[in-house]
Amino acid sequence: MEKCTLQSRFIQLLLEKNEHLNLTAVRAHDEAYLRHVEDALAVYGLFDFSGKSLIDVGSGGGLPGIPLRLQDPTIRLTLLDATAKKVAFLQSVCEELGLGDVACIAARAEEQARLPGFREAFDVAIARGLAYMPVLCELCLPFVKLGGFFLAMKGAEASQEIEAAQDAQGTMGAMGGIGTLGIMDTLGGKMRHVLPYPLGDRQHTLVVVEKVAHTPPSYPRKWAAITRSKRLHL
């Protein structure tokens, strides 16, 4: 099938399963295509994904990972989600769409990022609407190799979240004390680009963070510690 036909089929499968798994708030095919596929394709136009290993953290219904992989077969894609039923759906979708080389994994990001073959193993980690930026940094940057990138897909107002991820105030260090660096720097990340792009009548933002140093071995922490230390920003 052509790429656009495969993308449309993906949206159809997503909406069919949505009644049972709550994969998207959108119910109409055309709106879902705009909000999900065209959103991913807009990001594809802003960053060079070709030939890169990509982990989609908190993938849910396969977004944005599956539309990106359908657009570019050279992407080596891993879909990660904590809900086993959603991962089973992702596996079935990949099989139907002929994406046999896509890895679908049911696990929590903060646990999977500590395993060999996953820790600092990917060229790119991407997340779409999963959590507040300081939390996203801790969930995603440990997966990224040196010189790689963490991409956060955000709405129009991303500046406050970015500031929170870079701000040392309220950021708990690995030993429980107040850190002198923001969580992004602590984890080895450096802000590179904040790229706004239109999607229909809305404005979205792609936040690009480069991995410039190794993530300390004490990160990521357990989920309770991550959310507790970010309490000033939630």
Side-chain angles (χ1 to χ4, degrees):
M1 288 190 228
E2 295 182 357
K3 289 179 182 177
C4 61
T5 304
L6 286 171
Q7 299 280 18
S8 182
R9 177 58 179 153
F10 165 62
I11 292 299
Q12 182 182 352
L13 293 169
L14 182 73
L15 294 178
E16 287 175 358
K17 199 66 174 181
N18 192 49
E19 297 179 14
H20 308 289
L21 289 181
N22 192 28
L23 300 168
T24 175
V26 184
R27 297 294 186 266
H29 186 281
D30 289 349
E31 185 182 358
Y33 194 95
L34 170 67
R35 294 272 296 274
H36 301 319
V37 172
E38 292 191 16
D39 192 19
L41 297 185
V43 167
Y44 183 79
L46 296 173
F47 186 86
D48 181 13
F49 289 91
S50 296
K52 292 182 171 61
S53 56
L54 171 68
I55 183 167
D56 181 1
V57 180
S59 186
L63 301 161
I66 289 179
L68 288 172
R69 175 61 178 75
L70 289 173
Q71 177 66 18
D72 189 342
T74 71
I75 294 173
R76 290 166 284 140
L77 178 62
T78 297
L79 302 173
L80 177 70
D81 197 272
T83 305
K85 288 183 178 180
K86 291 182 179 180
V87 173
F89 163 73
L90 295 176
Q91 289 173 326
S92 67
V93 167
C94 287
E95 289 172 5
E96 176 152 347
L97 298 179
L99 305 180
D101 57 347
V102 173
C104 302
I105 298 173
R108 297 189 63 86
E110 68 273 20
E111 297 170 358
Q112 195 70 18
R114 290 187 164 277
L115 300 182
F118 288 87
R119 188 172 186 83
E120 298 192 330
F122 294 87
D123 297 314
V124 184
I126 195 167
R128 178 179 183 259
L130 179 63
Y132 201 56
M133 193 70 188
V135 175
L136 275 184
C137 285
E138 188 157 353
L139 294 178
C140 295
L141 276 168
F143 286 106
V144 182
K145 63 176 65 171
L146 283 181
F149 294 89
F150 159 46
L151 308 179
M153 296 172 66
K154 290 292 181 180
E157 300 298 329
S159 57
Q160 184 178 359
E161 293 193 37
I162 295 168
E163 187 176 321
Q166 294 178 307
D167 187 4
Q169 184 178 4
T171 300
M172 303 293 288
M175 301 307 293
I178 299 296
T180 57
L181 296 173
I183 191 65
M184 185 185 297
D185 291 300
T186 297
L187 295 164
K190 183 67 66 176
M191 179 63 58
R192 289 306 185 210
H193 304 287
V194 180
L195 305 173
Y197 64 94
L199 186 69
D201 58 355
R202 304 182 184 187
Q203 193 77 3
H204 286 206
T205 307
L206 181 67
V207 182
V208 182
V209 179
E210 185 177 2
K211 185 72 171 282
V212 298
H214 289 293
T215 298
S218 51
Y219 291 92
R221 296 163 295 167
K222 292 183 178 180
W223 179 247
I226 293 174
T227 54
R228 183 170 60 248
S229 66
K230 309 300 186 301
R231 65 188 180 278
L232 297 180
H233 302 305
L234 293 176

